[in-house]
Amino acid sequence: MARLIHLNGPSGIGKSTVARRYADLRPGVLDLDADQVLTMIGGWRTAFWDTLPAARRLALAMAETHLRAGYDVVMPQLVARLEQAERFEEAARAAGGDYVEIMLTAPRPQAKARFAARGDHAAADAMADSGGPVVLDRIHDHVAEYLPLRPQCTVLDTEHLDPDETCASVAAIVARRAAAEAPSARNGDQTGNLPPGQA
């Protein structure tokens, strides 16, 4: 089963870097960064927040296409609203795939330091124009409120992990998810149906 691996987390936590490394090590995996899709839409520099919903819709359509072809998608994207996560989940299911949400975290001072140290990024100027550190604090607050609503989300503390170690931890989470699903695939689905040829 193809998987939509959603790397969630506050801005600057390292989602895009980890997604790139994850895909580089796995031929066929699509690294689908909605913030990069956004830069393909005219006027995004002066209307970042207005353009973001359209970029997410396009990214989800791309994800569905790739999943239907049987390939995994890794999507680094901050989501702190329940309905947005549900759209990601629905897109994976519509393509016959699985949705794996992993929240990358770190203590707030470290996370803010990472944000300050990162290079050029589509969201950086938009956040600076909207209040910079104030917006980043608000994002962390929203993530803290969001997590209790998503018990199926795996939280990955990256405080003592470099990008390569974080990537390896993400791969381990995905592998555990696949292993947990394997018995049901062999023995029949949750409705009691047997796999083809075992009826």
Side-chain angles (χ1 to χ4, degrees), residues 78 81 124 127 152 186:
L78 165 64
R81 290 168 53 187
M127 288 187 63
Q152 64 272 56
R186 289 193 298 268

Side-chain angles (χ1 to χ4, degrees), residues 89-152:
E89 200 162 9
E90 289 166 5
R93 289 176 177 169
D98 188 25
Y99 174 72
V100 182
E101 181 181 12
I102 302 172
M103 179 71 74
L104 306 185
T105 66
R108 189 174 299 201
Q110 185 186 50
K112 293 172 77 171
R114 289 185 192 177
F115 178 83
R118 74 178 181 173
D120 292 338
H121 192 275
D125 290 342
M127 288 187 63
D129 292 342
S130 301
V134 174
V135 176
L136 194 55
D137 272 322
R138 193 180 306 144
I139 287 171
H140 280 271
D141 291 341
H142 289 169
V143 168
E145 294 166 1
Y146 165 86
L147 271 175
L149 305 175
R150 297 289 295 175
Q152 64 272 56

Side-chain angles (χ1 to χ4, degrees), residues 1-5 20 22-23 26-32 58-75 91-92 94-98:
M1 180 184 293
R3 287 177 171 78
L4 173 55
I5 303 159
R20 180 71 267 159
Y22 185 92
R26 293 163 181 83
V29 173
L30 174 63
D31 172 19
L32 184 54
L58 286 169
L60 285 178
M62 293 168 67
E64 276 197 50
T65 298
H66 206 63
L67 290 168
R68 288 183 191 279
Y71 296 100
D72 286 358
V73 175
V74 58
M75 180 180 286
D98 188 25

